[in-house]
């Protein structure tokens, strides 16, 4: 499932390709995504020009002129595909086809249909329930340790699941939560409310460090995610713990452990991430 770095990669590519283009027509598959795509979408977008592409957490906001914003979430398998001219071959699972006046095309493909496409009034976009409940985006505004301490006070939720809670911080998913906690030297099973201020400083430092490094490499390669240009991201080779069960920790050699938290896999080093462990000195290449 795409996380913040993958969605930011898509945002940058959409910004590069579609800002300034004007919609000629929009065609819908009529199939239901996470929610049904409004049948009025084609008429609302006709003749509108894309002005900006924003992101908050894992959500994309495509702003058109005359105050219309299309809110989009990639869900499990959604992809935006840009074509400079009309695609020669049809593709399966394309649910939104945007034709621009200059002859270029933008498709939203989503085999598993957990994605979201919804037109909103730009001014009220952040009042939409999907966005209104989200916590701050850790790339748009760097996380503040004191705010995290206050936010986690008394929380019995495991720190790994706390980081995944989009209401607390928007954008972190399963891969980067494991990576952040490993770099911060924190056991993923610890209760969020039990972390010291010093540990929260480590977490607040590692969140943007990991996310920015992943953005630089256009995210991580995994089964369904591809960038808009259909290239896999290359952050996978930088992962220290995720999907490395039984392999030696890159810092200390201890076999990486896999556990299940909230029905999802967590990977960690039992030595580097001991309860109360002082974060091990970082290797420079682990960036
Ligand atoms: Zn280790």
């Amino acid at each position: 499932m795409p996380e913040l770095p993958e969605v930011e990669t898509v945002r940058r590519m959409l910004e590069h390709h579609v800002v300034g283009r004007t919609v000629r027509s929009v065609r819908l598959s009529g199939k239901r995504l996470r929610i049904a795509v409004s049948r009025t979408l084609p008429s609302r977008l006709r003749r509108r020009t894309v002005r900006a592409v924003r992101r908050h957490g894992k959500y994309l906001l495509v702003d058109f002129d005359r105050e219309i914003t299309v809110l989009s979430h990639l869900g499990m398998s959604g992809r935006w595909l840009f074509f400079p001219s009309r695609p020669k071959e049809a593709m399966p699972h394309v649910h939104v086809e945007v034709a621009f006046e200059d002859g270029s095309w933008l498709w939203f493909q989503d085999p598993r249909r957990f994605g979201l496409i919804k037109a909103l009034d730009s001014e009220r976009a952040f009042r939409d329930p999907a966005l209104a409940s989200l916590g701050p985006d850790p790339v748009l505004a760097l996380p503040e340790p004191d705010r995290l301490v206050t936010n986690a006070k008394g929380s019995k939720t495991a720190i790994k699941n706390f980081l995944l809670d989009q209401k607390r911080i928007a954008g972190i998913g399963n891969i980067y939560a494991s990576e952040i906690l490993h770099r911060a030297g924190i056991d993923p099973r610890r209760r969020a409310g039990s972390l010291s201020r010093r540990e929260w400083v480590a977490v607040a430092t590692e969140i943007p460090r990991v996310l920015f490094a992943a953005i630089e490499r256009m995210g991580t390669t995994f089964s369904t995610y591809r960038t808009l240009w259909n290239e896999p991201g290359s952050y996978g080779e930088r992962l220290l713990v995720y999907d490395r069960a039984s392999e030696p920790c890159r810092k200390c050699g201890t076999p990486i452990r896999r556990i299940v938290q909230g029905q999802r896999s967590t990977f960690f080093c039992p030595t580097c991430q001991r309860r109360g462990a002082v974060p091990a000195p970082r290797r420079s290449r682990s960036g």
Side-chain angles (χ1 to χ4, degrees):
M1 182 162 169
E3 303 183 26
L4 189 154
E6 290 76 33
V7 180
E8 174 61 16
T9 301
V10 174
R11 189 200 70 77
R12 290 178 180 192
M13 292 181 181
L14 283 173
E15 184 175 70
H16 177 78
H17 283 301
V18 304
V19 169
R21 297 193 199 269
T22 301
V23 175
R24 191 184 69 213
S25 63
V26 178
R27 221 177 81 187
L28 306 177
S29 72
K31 292 235 174 80
R32 188 189 167 89
L33 301 180
R34 183 194 304 186
I35 57 168
V37 181
S38 167
R39 284 181 196 173
T40 65
L41 187 76
S43 59
R44 288 189 76 181
L45 294 187
R46 196 171 301 135
R47 300 265 167 94
R48 312 267 171 179
T49 302
V50 181
R51 290 298 175 208
V53 185
R54 292 179 289 155
R55 183 193 55 73
H56 191 100
K58 301 176 196 171
Y59 285 86
L60 287 164
L61 296 99
V62 183
D63 296 323
F64 291 81
D65 57 4
R66 286 177 282 162
E67 301 297 309
I68 288 196
T69 293
V70 171
L71 178 65
S72 150
H73 192 287
L74 303 174
M76 306 285 284
S77 59
R79 286 205 274 167
W80 284 104
L81 299 162
F82 176 79
F83 305 93
S85 57
R86 192 190 181 103
K88 291 197 176 64
E89 284 173 47
M91 282 172 75
H93 313 298
V94 174
H95 301 295
V96 180
E97 292 181 18
V98 180
F100 293 108
E101 287 185 342
D102 65 1
S104 60
W105 290 70
L106 183 68
W107 286 2
F108 184 73
Q109 186 194 41
D110 188 1
R112 299 184 64 181
R113 295 197 273 130
F114 287 106
L116 173 77
I117 304 279
K118 189 177 180 184
L120 303 167
D121 292 335
S122 301
E123 222 173 69
R124 294 159 159 256
F126 278 85
R127 286 194 220 158
D128 185 84
L131 293 181
S133 64
L134 293 181
D137 180 291
V139 161
L140 299 176
L142 296 182
E144 292 164 29
D146 289 327
R147 196 188 155 274
L148 291 168
V149 171
T150 311
N151 204 323
K153 203 168 183 184
S155 169
K156 293 186 172 128
T157 307
I159 178 65
K160 156 81 184 317
N161 294 335
F162 185 93
L163 293 182
L164 293 184
D165 183 350
Q166 302 298 300
K167 295 185 200 77
R168 310 269 189 185
I169 307 165
I172 300 172
N174 210 38
I175 295 177
Y176 300 110
S178 281
E179 293 297 311
I180 288 161
L181 289 175
H182 178 69
R183 285 164 167 87
I186 290 165
D187 187 320
R189 297 164 295 186
R190 295 264 309 275
R191 290 175 172 187
S194 77
L195 267 64
S196 67
R197 189 180 183 281
R198 200 173 65 138
E199 289 171 321
W200 276 117
V201 170
V203 172
T205 307
E206 295 302 335
I207 290 172
R209 206 176 257 175
V210 166
L211 297 176
F212 279 119
I215 289 169
E216 218 170 274
R217 299 189 144 235
M218 308 202 329
T220 303
T221 304
F222 49 99
S223 57
T224 55
Y225 170 71
R226 292 289 187 277
T227 67
L228 194 68
W229 288 315
N230 210 17
E231 296 290 327
S234 67
Y235 190 72
E237 56 204 52
R238 289 293 185 96
L239 297 174
L240 297 184
V241 287
Y242 185 80
D243 209 15
R244 295 193 64 241
S246 307
E247 289 178 43
C249 170
R250 295 196 209 275
K251 288 179 187 165
C252 75
T254 305
I256 299 298
R257 264 190 76 187
R258 174 187 173 273
I259 56 171
V260 174
Q261 292 181 289
Q263 288 137 24
R264 311 194 63 190
S265 297
T266 302
F267 299 87
F268 71 106
C269 169
T271 303
C272 295
Q273 294 170 257
R274 271 199 318 272
R275 187 180 179 85
V278 177
R282 298 163 48 81
R283 277 200 203 167
S284 54
R285 67 171 291 275
S286 69

